[in-house]
Amino acid sequence: MRFFDKQIGEFQREIDGKGKSVFAFHGKLWEDVGRNEIVMQREAAFELHGTGFELFTSDKLGKDEIIVVGEDLKDLKNGTLFARVSLIELDSVSDEQTAHDTVKKIEYIKYHYFPKGYMVRTNSLSSEENVRVSKKAVKEGISFEKAGSLLISKYKENSAVKAVKLFFITDKTVNYTALNSLSEKSREITSALDRVIRNLNLDCDTCKLKAICDEVEGMKELHFKNAGK
Ligand code: SF4
């Protein structure tokens, strides 16, 4: 799968040279409360404002890891800018419809992990992702490694997921505007996959999807292969 290659390259350039703490994934390290737990403002240690998105590849990623770029939860202050980026290696899938369905299923997982004392608020119409962390969770030692271990566990319930590099970014020197643009582009690609598969027009010169097909590697091949051309 090459659809997200350009965005993966740009993402890697954005965090290149920044200080990182890398944690190997060892299974679940924090309690999953199994439902959306409300952390009231008065119980909150702080809130993080940012974006969260997935980038998919069929390149080998190696071991599952949680990578923190910047300060970890115990050191953060209210209003810190934040990004969560899940770089996910997918098994090679035989057909494009399956690839599209797999991407959609995996994107949905972010709405279904519930670390105790770590309330994730997302917006289904954008890539906005805000996190409110309780004082109790901070006292009990929550960290990105522990909260992130639950998200990786959920991803890996899908047998198409071969490896995950899960990034939590709080470094003040990172360009969050650029990360927001990348997240929007990744949403655009996912939504275009569906429209390209269903598109009956086979004339690129008159097609409304030409801009995205010209920009995203593999998109044209996806359409013509799916249309049997
Ligand atoms: S390949 Fe892309 S631009 Fe060409 S017809 Fe198909 S969807 Fe449209």
Side-chain angles (χ1 to χ4, degrees):
M1 182 182 284
R2 307 253 68 95
F3 304 127
F4 298 88
D5 280 9
K6 190 171 168 213
Q7 284 66 41
I8 291 171
E10 284 175 27
F11 169 63
Q12 282 166 338
R13 282 191 288 283
E14 285 301 334
I15 58 163
D16 201 27
K18 312 285 183 198
K20 299 178 185 76
S21 304
V22 180
F23 304 92
F25 169 66
H26 295 299
K28 291 181 190 175
L29 297 176
W30 193 252
E31 184 181 342
D32 187 340
V33 289
R35 64 186 158 77
N36 211 348
E37 179 193 28
I38 305 292
V39 175
M40 306 295 280
Q41 206 149 21
R42 64 174 181 277
E43 302 161 351
F46 54 82
E47 213 165 297
L48 309 176
H49 301 292
T51 186
F53 58 103
E54 291 71 33
L55 295 169
F56 299 92
T57 182
S58 42
D59 288 347
K60 296 273 173 253
L61 291 181
K63 291 186 179 145
D64 299 317
E65 285 173 340
I66 297 144
I67 299 139
V68 180
V69 183
E71 292 181 315
D72 210 327
L73 292 174
K74 67 179 175 38
D75 299 312
L76 292 178
K77 310 240 169 339
N78 203 26
T80 300
L81 286 179
F82 154 84
R84 188 247 337 136
V85 182
S86 304
L87 185 51
I88 298 176
E89 177 193 337
L90 290 184
D91 203 2
S92 53
V93 277
S94 51
D95 67 276
E96 289 70 17
Q97 186 66 54
T98 311
H100 165 262
D101 294 348
T102 306
V103 163
K104 295 303 282 182
K105 265 189 212 154
I106 293 167
E107 283 188 334
Y108 199 58
I109 289 169
K110 68 179 172 196
Y111 305 113
H112 294 93
Y113 87 112
F114 307 107
K116 188 177 178 194
Y118 183 97
M119 181 174 78
V120 182
R121 290 189 297 181
T122 52
N123 180 344
S124 60
L125 300 175
S126 73
S127 303
E128 191 180 335
E129 189 163 303
N130 298 323
V131 179
R132 188 181 281 176
V133 183
S134 75
K135 289 176 196 157
K136 192 159 177 261
V138 174
K139 211 167 156 194
E140 289 174 351
I142 193 170
S143 63
F144 281 126
E145 179 196 11
K146 292 174 181 171
S149 70
L150 296 185
L151 184 54
I152 295 189
S153 304
K154 289 276 179 187
Y155 286 135
K156 300 213 79 173
E157 285 173 9
N158 188 315
S159 60
V161 173
K162 293 296 149 201
V164 182
K165 300 280 185 206
L166 177 57
F167 293 85
F168 290 101
I169 302 163
T170 59
D171 188 319
K172 292 183 182 68
T173 65
V174 166
N175 182 347
Y176 289 92
T177 308
L179 292 185
N180 285 341
S181 304
L182 279 180
S183 71
E184 286 312 315
K185 182 54 78 177
S186 110
R187 282 173 63 82
E188 206 182 306
I189 293 170
T190 312
S191 131
L193 281 174
D194 192 40
R195 285 179 289 141
V196 164
I197 286 172
R198 292 172 206 290
N199 189 11
L200 296 177
N201 182 0
L202 291 170
D203 177 3
C204 296
D205 292 335
T206 60
C207 181
K208 287 184 184 149
L209 295 165
K210 188 171 186 317
I212 191 106
C213 274
D214 283 346
E215 190 183 348
V216 178
E217 194 179 332
M219 202 66 99
K220 278 190 179 154
E221 291 77 3
L222 166 72
H223 189 202
F224 289 120
K225 195 173 165 203
N226 203 58
K229 298 282 172 187

